[in-house]
Amino acid sequence: MSDPRTIVAVKGFRDVLPPESEGWRALEDAAAAVFSRYGFAEIRLPIVERTDLFARSIGETTDIVEKEMYSFLDRDETPLTLRPEATASVVRAYLESGLAQREPAARLYYRGPMFRRERPQRGRYRQFWQIGAEEFGRDDPLADAELLVMLERYLADVGARAVRLELNSVGDARCRPVYRERLREFGRAHLEGLCPDCHRRLDRNPLRILDCKVEECRDIVARAPVMLDSLCEPCRAHLDAVRTLLGQEAIEYVMNPRLVRGLDYYCRTAFEVVTDTLGAQNAIGGGGRYDGLVAALGGPDVPGIGFALGVERLAMVTGTAEARTAPPVVAVLPLESRAIASAFQLATRLRDHGFTVALEAPGRSLKALLRGADRRGARLALILGDAELQAGRATVRDLARHEDRPQAVAIDASGPDLARELAQLMDAAS
Ligand code: HAM
């Protein structure tokens, strides 16, 4: 006997139904439109990668790699992981496809689901979606500024409300080690207040204490020295140049010297898009420069910069969750089974000519059918009863005015004739 209980989705995994899915499509379409103006083309990536890829890029000591990855052994024992983010995958694809040689200055964007085994709550899921963009081959501040303007324009385009851009520099391979030591010293002076995880972090990767989510650690870390004060001259000059360019285009942002990203691959420019309206899950998106990443994954020394936005959170601040599909403009209502063939023919021809059609099944009263068509938002109904079949013409009902039109529509009219006639009827109805 089969189990009569229904099967529900896995915790932290969810369905996206209309009209929410329509809102998402609008966000994706806008990304395609805005990003392409900046020369970005879409890349579609696999969802599963070799586990090594993430360990080597995101960092062994990050929460993502330590605690949150969905990793498993394939049947041939290969360690695999459901991707927790896509930057590492884009870098892998960039190297594997030969783009790194052919077109080193590549600009790529993506959208798709990511997987992190975090504790689910509002705005935080185990499968969530990102829209992201990555650029390779440019280490000049203009590339950073261009990307940030694109991000700002995209957010404006989709109507993101109450969001702010926060900016920081996390230094580079030259100045970060100096800062790391300063932070280690600070941490050692406050050992008793820090959690056991942070004790370990102090040995292995002190920067990660800045990202600890334990309340007591956060209080201590709030007093820690900041990277901004330890920047070397080239990093400082890079940041200043980015800021000047952002200023020129009047991009609004705030400097946040305590901004650290949860991934290890960043250098210099780091940024987040945050909001105060979503409680704890305040990051709508984030990104930054990752100049050493391509080389760390076995490629040439090519710089990179990018960002990713969380689609669930973005939808919450844009209100696109309420976007609706266009309602059908015309309903075709067969009253009896005898009318099915004609109704089907009419509906197909109208759809072939671009009309959105609701085709009903027979078996209900005319009143019930009309009520259904009205509820769906149709403006006209084509009614097919016995009298109509005999006359070869469908009665046209104006659903807003609740009255029949004097002219009827020929059932076997050609597609173009039908479309022309319907267009006239629609004009008269509006
Ligand atoms: P991230 O900050 O880890 O960066 O993620 C980017 C965004 O994904 C977050 O700001 C958030 O909106 C969303 N997000 C992350 N985790 C969850 C979750 N559990 N539930 C819902 N939304 C979530 C990255 O992933 C980098 N790859 C960004 C990047 C691209 N850096 C350079 N290029």
Side-chain angles (χ1 to χ4, degrees), residues 299-354:
D301 188 14
V302 178
I305 183 168
F307 65 81
L309 294 154
V311 178
E312 288 82 358
R313 297 182 193 176
L314 188 57
M316 287 176 188
V317 295
T318 52
T320 43
E322 284 88 47
R324 292 201 61 86
T325 19
V329 294
V330 44
V332 177
L333 311 177
L335 298 183
E336 312 283 347
S337 330
R338 287 185 292 281
I340 287 178
S342 300
F344 192 30
Q345 182 188 346
L346 269 178
T348 304
R349 289 207 179 140
L350 284 170
R351 285 170 175 154
D352 285 348
H353 282 80

Side-chain angles (χ1 to χ4, degrees), residues 279-302:
Q281 310 314 314
N282 70 343
I284 306 292
R289 193 161 262 300
Y290 45 83
D291 292 351
L293 183 58
V294 179
L297 291 175
D301 188 14
V302 178

Side-chain angles (χ1 to χ4, degrees), residues 130-194:
Q130 284 185 347
I131 293 175
E134 313 290 348
E135 164 167 17
F136 298 98
R138 291 271 303 272
D139 62 5
D140 54 310
L142 178 58
D144 307 38
E146 219 187 332
L147 190 85
L148 287 166
V149 172
M150 177 173 94
L151 175 58
E152 192 262 2
R153 291 296 196 267
Y154 173 66
L155 291 169
D157 198 78
V158 297
R161 291 183 297 257
V163 297
R164 79 179 166 271
L165 176 65
E166 295 192 346
L167 185 68
N168 193 15
S169 173
V170 295
D172 66 4
R174 198 173 343 171
C175 53
R176 209 174 14 221
V178 180
Y179 174 63
R180 196 178 289 135
E181 275 320 304
R182 284 185 66 198
L183 202 55
R184 188 173 273 140
E185 271 170 39
F186 171 86
R188 295 218 165 111
H190 295 83
L191 262 192
E192 66 290 353
L194 294 171

Side-chain angles (χ1 to χ4, degrees), residues 85 87 116 118 123 125 130 134 261 265-266 283-285 306-307:
E85 62 113 45
T87 308
R116 295 182 195 176
E118 295 187 80
Y125 308 97
Q130 284 185 347
E134 313 290 348
R261 306 273 302 126
Y265 49 61
Y266 293 106
I284 306 292
F307 65 81

